[in-house]
Structure formats: structure tokens, C-alpha cells
Amino acid sequence: MTNNIPLSEDQEMIEEQTYTAASNAQATYESNERLRPTSDLIDYARRYAREKPAVVALVCVGLGFVLGWKLKPW
């Protein structure tokens, strides 16, 4: 049963990302490549920072506050 309701841009993007992730996983599995967790983590962090810059900024401020408090230079 197909649904002819038009999708919003967000829903289309989610479907596209899901399809891309599934095809990337399948291609990696089929080509027997080595995993690259560090580069994947960096890519994920960059993508997250682009999508939610306010959250990333607050985390950075919080980390700076805690490190500055615990590592007093005087």
C-alpha cells in the first residue's frame, strides 16, 4: 500500500540519509574494507556541530569552565 502524501523536506532528507547510510554500510561490507572509527567519529562530530551549533558551544564553554576551575594557573 503506497501513500501519496507529500513528504516534508526533513522527512525526505531523513529517508535519503537512511538510504545513504545503508548503501554505505553494504558497500563497506562487500568491499571488505577496514573500519575507520576515528575518521567516522570526526565526521559525525562535524555534522553534529553544523546541525546543533548552540549545543556544541555550550559544551565547549562548560568544558572550559571545568578545566579552568580544576587547572588553576596560579
Side-chain angles (χ1 to χ4, degrees):
M1 175 180 229
T2 59
N3 203 350
N4 291 334
I5 299 172
L7 299 175
S8 70
E9 286 184 24
D10 291 338
Q11 290 171 329
E12 289 177 4
M13 205 161 78
I14 290 170
E15 286 184 3
E16 181 179 318
Q17 288 173 351
T18 304
Y19 176 74
T20 303
S23 64
N24 286 346
Q26 185 67 23
T28 301
Y29 179 75
E30 288 175 358
S31 66
N32 208 9
E33 291 182 12
R34 298 185 128 210
L35 297 177
R36 296 187 178 127
T38 306
S39 99
D40 290 344
L41 183 63
I42 291 170
D43 291 341
Y44 175 74
R46 287 182 180 156
R47 191 173 337 124
Y48 187 84
R50 285 187 197 111
E51 292 175 6
K52 299 182 181 183
V55 173
V56 174
L58 287 174
V59 168
C60 289
V61 168
L63 286 173
F65 178 77
V66 170
L67 288 174
W69 174 40
K70 292 292 183 180
L71 301 174
K72 295 179 186 172
W74 57 88

